Amino acid sequence: MSNEPEIARLAACGVVPVVVIEDVHLAVPLARALLAGGIDVIEVTLRRPAALAALETIAREVPEILSVAGTVVTPAQVTDVKEAGAQAVVSPGFSEAVDDAMRAAGLPWLPGVATASDCMRAVAAGRLTCKFFPAEQAGGTSALKALSGPFPQMKFCPTGGVGLNNLADYLALKQVICVGGSWLVPADAIANRDWARVTQLAKEARERVKALRG
């Protein structure tokens, strides 16, 4: 596993909320609701115009949570998220151009992999901790077990189709450091400002992680 402290925090938390934020004003209360449930990391995806402002606001006003930028697919976005205060970056795939930009930015990066070819490119670049995406569609735990044969040095954060129903299956694998998922932050809960529900989902997830890890 990477020796970056940010990656260690993802592993310690065990679950990473993957968030789509439509309104920057919802960013801070959402982050605080997750913290109240025991989750101290958040991945804000660059899927909406408000994402960069949300990242910046969370980094400034809720510094106790690890701010991760997700869905970063271009070198220009790497620059943008660093300026916004992101402390780590996640991408759905791997590209040499983004890899170069991440090295220049000096931020921890989890590139996405789904196949053996993806893993070969990541290993060649020295990227040994990766996002496994889309996890369920790419074969789930059986695919991860198969990939760990030729790539025993790699660690993964499976995302895509992961929830409370299969959380235990993924975290039982020694090569999985954490999982990512949007089930922790339902779109309707965010839209309705139902922060109590977000906190409850966070608590349930953290309790499951603790129970699984002893």
Side-chain angles (χ1 to χ4, degrees), residues 38-209:
I39 290 180
D40 66 348
V41 300
I42 185 171
E43 178 186 332
V44 179
T45 61
L46 300 193
R47 298 181 186 180
R48 297 292 186 273
L52 285 173
L55 267 170
E56 186 174 7
T57 303
I58 292 170
R60 183 180 65 248
E61 298 191 29
V62 196
E64 58 268 44
I65 201 167
L66 181 73
S67 299
V68 180
T71 323
V72 173
V73 298
T74 68
Q77 289 177 325
V78 174
T79 301
D80 290 342
V81 299
K82 182 174 183 179
E83 291 177 353
Q87 297 162 278
V89 175
V90 178
S91 297
F94 180 92
S95 89
E96 282 73 15
V98 174
D99 182 47
D100 290 342
M102 288 303 309
R103 293 183 193 282
L107 292 174
W109 182 42
L110 271 67
V113 297
T115 67
S117 294
D118 294 339
C119 291
M120 287 176 66
R121 292 170 69 199
V123 169
R127 302 292 186 178
L128 302 183
T129 303
C130 294
K131 175 177 182 172
F132 180 59
F133 176 83
E136 284 292 283
Q137 295 86 341
T141 56
S142 60
L144 274 175
K145 291 175 185 176
L147 287 171
S148 291
F151 306 105
Q153 71 274 56
M154 294 190 71
K155 300 295 182 183
F156 300 95
C157 174
T159 305
V162 181
L164 276 180
N165 61 315
N166 55 9
L167 179 65
D169 298 332
Y170 282 100
L171 289 179
L173 303 179
K174 66 181 184 302
Q175 62 268 41
V176 171
I177 64 166
C178 60
V179 302
S182 57
W183 92 92
L184 292 155
V185 282
D188 61 332
I190 297 174
N192 295 327
R193 295 170 169 76
D194 190 352
W195 308 128
R197 182 179 170 200
V198 172
T199 295
Q200 182 58 36
L201 288 169
K203 285 180 178 177
E204 290 175 359
R206 283 292 295 143
E207 286 170 2
R208 185 69 62 86
V209 170

Side-chain angles (χ1 to χ4, degrees), residues 13 21 47 62 146 180 213:
C13 189
I21 296 181
R47 298 181 186 180
V62 196
R213 290 179 169 176

